[in-house]
Amino acid sequence: MKLTAFLLICSILQVSARGFAQKITLSEREASPEKIFTRIEQQTGYKFVYTETFLKNARPVTVHLKNASLDEVLAICLKDMPYTWSMLNNLVVIKEKAAENAPPTPPVQDITGTILDDKGNAIAGATIAVKGTRQNAVSGTDGGFSFKGLREDAVLVISFTGYQTKEIAIRGKHELTVRLEISVRALNEIVVVAYGTVRKRDLTGSVSQVKPAEITSYPANNVINALQGRAAGVQVQQNNGAPGGSISVRIRGTNSILGGNEPLYVVDGFPYPKNPTFIQPGDIESVEILKDASSIALYGSRGANGVIMITTRNGHKGGKTQVDLSSGYTVQSPMKKIKLMNAGEYAQFYNLQAADDNLSPYFTQQQIDSLSKGPSTNWQDLVMHDAPMYTNNITVSGGDDKTQYSLSGGLFSQNGIIRNSIFNRYTLRGNLNHEISKIFSVSYNIYLTRSDGRNQNSGGSNRGADLISGMLEAPPTLSPYLANGSYRRLNTAYPFISNTIVNPLVTLNTISDKFKADNVFSNAALTIKPIKDLSIRISGGIYNSNNRTDTYTAIEPSTNSVGSATVGTNQVTSLLNENVATYNKTFGEHHLSVTAGYTFQNYVETTLSGSGTGFLSDISQTGNLSAASIPGIPNTSYQKWVLLSLIGRLNYSYSDKYFATLSFRRDGSSRYAPDNKWSNFPSAAIAWRIYNEKFLKDAKWISDLKLRASYGATGSTAIDPYATLNQLSSGNTIFGDNPYITYAPGTTLPGNLKWETTNQFDAGLDAAFLGGRLRLAADVYLKKTNNLLNRVQLPVSMGYTTTLRNVGQVQNKGLELAAEADVFKGAVNWTVGANISFNRNKVLKLYQGQDIYGNTIYTGNLNDYVNILRQGKPMGMFYGYKETGYTATGDIQYADLNKDGKISADDKTFLGNPNANFLYGFNSVVSYKGFELTVFLQGTQGNDIFNLNKTSTLDLGMGLNVPREEFYDHWTPTNTHAKYPKISRSISGNMSSRFVENGSYLRFRNIQLAYNLPVKKWAPEWWRSAQLYVSGQNLITITKYSWYDPDVNTYGSANSITTGIDYFTYPTYKSVTVGLRCGF
Amino acid sequence: MKIKILLPIILLLGLGSCKKTLEEHPKSIAAEDFYNTPAEVESGLDAIYSPLRDPNNLGAIYQTQLECYADYMYGRGSHAVLNNYQGLDNTNITRVGTIWQLFYQSIRNANIIIQKTPLAKSVADTAKSRYIAEARFMRGLGYFFLVRNWAGVPLRTEANMDSINLKRSTAQDVYAQIVSDLTFAETNLPNAPRLIGAPSKWSAKTVLADVYMNMGLYSNARDEALAVIQSGNFSLVNVGIVSDFDKLYGADVVNSTEEIFYLKFARAPAGQGNYYPMYAFYPNSGYYPPGGYYTFYSDSVNNGVLSTWDRKDLRYSYNWYGQTFGLGNTTVLNKKYVDKQAVTAAGNDYPMYRYADLLLLYAEAEMRVNNGPDADAMEKLNMVHRRAYGKDPLTANPTVDFALADYASADTFLTLVVKERGYEDCSEGKRWLDLKRLGIVKRVILAVKGITVADKHLLWPIPTTEYNYNKAINPATDQNPGY
């Protein structure tokens, strides 16, 4: 309103104040008038006044002027536009020309023209519309078009995909040549970085951005899952296929032995201590992955593994309320089933074993015949099924200049492909920004999540003792139920059968492992802009989670279960306070931005658990632990850490060509020994935007080029709280018939520990070609982690088994490439994106050169570690015995590498590498009219998997079912080059080369066909958009891996030593989704 | 302008309290402030027992391991290689490595008490010496288990417990340490134990008698054993019918007159039970509700020890029951530790030293001192023997008693004692150590099972978890033979 009044005054006064003596120097390319005006304001002190319509009609301008007058600058800015300007005191008023002179009836005329691209080539198919009318035309193959009878003041709007839309007033001309400028959309995007945002083109560090469309392109139960294959240098591995199952993320390789290797997650500025599974993919505005030292330096001691910044949706200005709705229904099914022996084969197989071991046959020929003819029990079919998954999300957002808001609600429900497993998540989110005055503004967001469900998983057991090993190893000859309807007991079914095998249906149906979790995640901030260019943000955040697990094993005679209940609770509260000031200043060609602040975060975790065994009835389940005949000892725990930090960053740029960033964080952590609590994490980065250099001014084929380099240090809080203190643990023992409390040190000897530090060098290049239709980013990096916290083994005779020391060094180096191209533009649009990353990992130094072993895995017949860390080798290499074939009697022959005539631990060697040579992702989007076809591929190359599922093939004294191929291809005196040794219960099995398989794969992660309904044509005006889609996930996987899925990591977790193993893992699924996305 | 003043204040306020904010205050006890009161020292003493009672040690696996070596037993599944008598495979090397670790953890906890108790602020001196005596008893006992299974081992005491690298001592040095610990214990331990399951003066003497037997110091052994017998503190539990043995081994027994030093277990709270029965039973046999692995078994006909075991000996029926699972219908399983009320694990204690053991030790020692049996030796043997036939142990009974005249030579008497100990201590993890001590392993196993025992099988290997990190032990030269 104010503005209208003001304009009125201006036009009445008709003040002309042209010719001011102020001189202006400007060098801008494709800058918006708004920006140019700001520059002029900075240099002259003039203020500009203009309408929004002007901004909408304005187009970017390129100006290179030195000591020019305001007149000259504005002439360029307003060139070819129906606007003029006038001056009032210090105010420059931009107004429509029409207001100055409006001829009553403008004359009518004809016009012809040609549309050219920035290189002067004709553009065919461009749309030329006459503004304010229904008239339009399309340019021909020569780029030509023509209109008849246009008004003299008509304005033509010329648009063509991939180019900036241009408006031209014809002003009585009869011939026009229009050059369209390429729109370099990607380079003007804003990316979120530590404590701020930056234009992508101004970045000095290495940051990958993943867009919401990619995150929501298929139903993923976890935001992080959706990042798989999307960004170079980011490895996302699904540890198993369970609903709500965990995943491991590694950015640029594995740095730490003892500490976590998971990146730091920062959700709306809040460093979140875990993997943020509570976030709905639909609520995400953007995900940025900070990879190099300069980008992550402001997260100091927690940045070494990279940082994933998650920003949730904001409201928007403009007054219009938007409602977005999406809904999907998915059917999941097992990717494949393992080919195991059927009943007849099983009986013959174990008769072969009996024969080999000089025992009388277990099955008579008559039994074999009847088993061969009769039905086999397919335990995989009984345990797994096709399962539904639902995703529903609604978002309401809107706002005006002062207040913006976004509200959303979501429901995610996934039934697992293993029966009786389910994961539900209900979310409510609100986000509010309000400008109180020019100085103060506030923002608030809150995220409430409830998740609950029921787990079914491998208990890490063997010989059929848990669900998954039972499903794979239970005899196909036995039906699950007895004639009276009760469960069949498997471990006494045959004399030769495993004494621990459990009917998998008993595990499936009688063990109820339920969880529920409530998360509150809330953040409020006050922003103060006391003076020009200075902004101070004071924020406070709370993260609170309450979890409870209820596990009940029902009374079941066939497993000797008398009912056992366990209840566990876990409460986490983390408080965050951040006080950050940012100062921006531009003087001439120099731009300076300084950020400084002070932050505090704490984290308190308490747990409480109770248990009991022996119930009279299943009715109370976990509802009445005091009814247990054997009460468990209740347990509680308490843990707290505090992190205090000072942060500082200085960004400097000159003339949009030269950029430099210096960052610094000083962290104080409660976790470390008193003299080592504080540490500094500095970094520096430079970038050179060559594109803006004069010598590239005429290179039409190039549309952006920038070189970057950075170096810096970041840390990892690799140790748990209290690890440096000499604490006693309590325990129990019995005297008489009563329990007594004991106190003694644990098995880890405390050490005087300091920070683990990662130094990283990164050099990168960002480029765009062919008018931005081809965009590339490349990075090379070298990371070294020093003072590596290492669990140093002690001789066990000390009574301690390990201590912690800061010794060791690990190196990661790699190359990342990402490319995006708009292959076709026009009626058919085709965009492809691809990324590939190579990482090489090497352990440089370990304590006294001692090897570090992964967890010992007990399979019943084998009991050894699989992974090893050795100096000079990549982390987690598979280490064991190398097979060379078979002995004369059909047993496995191992290589006697030290030639001492016997096979012992000294004969172990490297068997494989769980680290991939490279990871890649490829995305293609083709759209034509309303249709859109998306194909997303993703894969790894060169990694090995240790397939321990196959230990049963050497464990033949236990009556376990085995892969069918063993029955048909085992050693016999006439088949000495068989895949499997003789069928005997005395095979000398070891963790050997037999289990190492090629884990490379190429997966069609998602194939989607979407149709955008032409709602504009038939729906009411309030209906913005509607999309129907059908998609398939994981439908095709190309791999040589023999088990369920190569995307597996049974022992995957923050720790990276025991890795690359597949052992009785919840299988992953493939799925088909139909869904609807609507906007109102 | 205000902000320019405010900002440094905010920063100062925040950082001023840094030092305190970053201090750690765990809700657990720091070792430095502990071991001052009797209750604190006792809780530290009690921690010596836990690693021994662990299911991976004397809570199941140790006895399982040793029973599979016995002439009367066979191992199944991953324990089957044990009765091939050709040394251990990787799985079993890992198992005994864990046993080593747990014994040393117990020894560490003992060393802490021996080191810290003299400094305790509110413990009387007499109590201090009792506590130290108990810790030294437990340490000596731990080394006794180690030296019998591994021979010489690193000797960690309160003096060198913090040094990482420590060489392997000779078996002789280890025995010297054991004798020193147990002699201190027998002098300073009370007549009655602190708690049922803690050692008394008599426990120390009994273990010392066993130690002297192993060292070949028979008259010392005889004297220690005699002192225990003469104390009158112990007697054999009377047995009339087979099930009366439950008064000795049963899950509900808290204490008996026969108990000299036992490891105590209880069904509740969870995790404090005896897991050995889990390895012994067949599921749904009715003897042990939590199930069973039937890891070791025997054969009533095809095993020489069992086939010649007098069926009138109540111990046979108490120990064995028939259970077929595909190895023929004469297969038997051991049921010495029945707990029909067990929910998670059994309440049966581990009878490490019983009065019956002591009587048989005495009988052998007395015979060896005199180079031949005397009436006293024979009477002690007969006490155990009579009880096994349901007779009063203290009353001579010609129908079951052995006559001295029939076993007059040292050799025949020794064979008789060893046989009696085999029956008496069946399923107690003692047989293999007896056979080793007497040097008759190879002869007995060849005779009963027809297998020649490899030399390497007589000792367990020093675990890799020791020599990989203890630079004073060189695996090439210091490892036990054959590994």
Side-chain angles (χ1 to χ4, degrees), chain A residues 515-798:
Chain A
F515 64 91
K516 60 181 179 212
D518 291 317
N519 277 285
V520 180
F521 187 78
S522 176
N523 220 339
L526 171 68
T527 306
I528 310 169
K529 293 178 178 164
I531 52 170
K532 200 174 136 230
D533 303 328
L534 177 66
S535 155
I536 299 165
R537 188 171 185 274
I538 299 167
S539 69
I542 300 172
Y543 165 68
N544 194 314
S545 88
N546 278 298
N547 299 321
R548 178 174 155 129
T549 53
D550 286 82
T551 310
Y552 184 72
T553 306
I555 298 166
E556 171 53 42
S558 76
T559 53
N560 296 94
S561 170
V562 289
S564 110
T566 307
V567 176
T569 70
N570 165 298
Q571 302 80 34
V572 173
T573 306
S574 178
L575 300 179
L576 173 75
N577 167 243
E578 292 185 331
N579 311 289
V580 180
T582 306
Y583 183 72
N584 278 297
K585 185 74 186 171
T586 303
F587 32 93
E589 299 271 278
H590 309 270
H591 178 75
L592 188 67
S593 165
V594 184
T595 302
Y598 158 68
T599 75
F600 164 91
Q601 188 171 9
N602 73 8
Y603 177 93
V604 179
E605 181 168 5
T606 55
T607 63
L608 164 65
S609 66
S611 62
T613 306
F615 290 92
L616 281 178
S617 136
D618 285 333
I619 289 171
S620 61
Q621 299 219 353
T622 52
N624 188 5
L625 288 184
S626 54
S629 63
I630 303 285
I633 298 170
N635 186 45
T636 59
S637 74
Y638 170 88
Q639 196 186 64
K640 178 180 179 176
W641 56 254
V642 177
L643 188 69
L644 292 177
S645 318
L646 289 171
I647 58 168
R649 176 171 57 202
L650 190 144
N651 278 320
Y652 168 77
S653 67
Y654 175 72
S655 182
D656 242 4
K657 280 186 243 173
Y658 311 107
F659 301 84
T661 305
L662 289 173
S663 309
F664 176 80
R665 180 158 177 147
R666 179 168 169 77
D667 268 340
S669 168
S670 62
R671 299 182 205 218
Y672 289 85
D675 299 335
N676 291 321
K677 287 202 187 288
W678 288 87
S679 191
N680 299 327
F681 301 99
S683 82
I686 49 171
W688 177 25
R689 195 145 184 257
I690 310 173
Y691 179 62
N692 278 356
E693 292 290 353
K694 282 202 181 93
F695 58 80
L696 276 181
K697 220 171 166 181
D698 299 323
K700 295 285 182 206
W701 51 276
I702 196 161
S703 16
D704 192 27
L705 183 60
K706 186 172 71 180
L707 292 178
R708 297 178 271 108
S710 71
Y711 184 75
T714 45
S716 159
T717 39
I719 59 166
D720 291 331
Y722 318 134
T724 66
L725 303 179
N726 200 0
Q727 300 298 296
L728 298 179
S729 340
S730 69
N732 288 84
T733 194
I734 298 288
F735 287 105
D737 211 27
N738 302 311
Y740 284 76
I741 301 299
T742 68
Y743 272 103
T747 54
T748 300
L749 186 68
N752 185 18
L753 303 175
K754 57 186 179 191
W755 297 80
E756 197 171 287
T757 311
T758 301
N759 291 318
Q760 184 180 180
F761 170 77
D762 178 283
L765 175 147
D766 296 316
F769 303 97
L770 306 173
R773 283 177 69 164
L774 175 62
R775 303 174 286 281
L776 296 175
D779 275 278
V780 290
Y781 60 87
L782 177 65
K783 280 203 293 187
K784 263 187 197 170
T785 307
N786 297 311
N787 284 332
L788 206 59
L789 276 161
N790 206 325
R791 193 175 290 283
V792 172
Q793 303 271 346
L794 295 173
V796 289
S797 67
M798 283 189 78

Side-chain angles (χ1 to χ4, degrees), chain B residues 367-446:
Chain B
M367 178 278 283
R368 287 193 187 261
V369 170
N370 301 321
N371 280 321
D374 56 12
D376 187 24
M378 188 50 110
E379 173 57 17
K380 297 297 184 289
L381 170 62
N382 271 331
M383 282 166 70
V384 176
H385 188 68
R386 272 172 222 140
R387 194 261 305 259
Y389 282 74
K391 313 296 181 201
D392 177 6
L394 297 177
T395 314
N397 190 325
T399 58
V400 295
D401 281 5
F402 297 113
L404 184 58
D406 298 342
Y407 304 92
S409 77
D411 273 357
T412 51
F413 185 80
L414 184 65
T415 308
L416 187 69
V417 175
V418 171
K419 191 167 146 193
E420 192 67 25
R421 257 175 80 82
Y423 296 152
E424 181 66 24
D425 290 347
C426 184
S427 210
E428 292 182 23
K430 296 169 185 168
R431 181 67 174 170
W432 176 250
L433 296 178
D434 268 354
L435 298 181
K436 279 208 320 184
R437 174 173 66 82
L438 298 161
I440 55 172
V441 163
K442 294 195 177 194
R443 182 159 56 82
V444 170
I445 299 301
L446 186 64

Side-chain angles (χ1 to χ4, degrees), chain A residues 129 162 218 223 453 793 873 902 1000:
Chain A
Y218 58 91
V223 175
Q793 303 271 346
K873 293 283 181 181
K902 59 178 188 176
S1000 308

Side-chain angles (χ1 to χ4, degrees), chain B residues 25-36:
Chain B
H25 299 286
K27 301 200 171 173
S28 59
I29 292 171
E32 290 78 8
D33 312 325
F34 203 64
Y35 306 111
N36 282 316

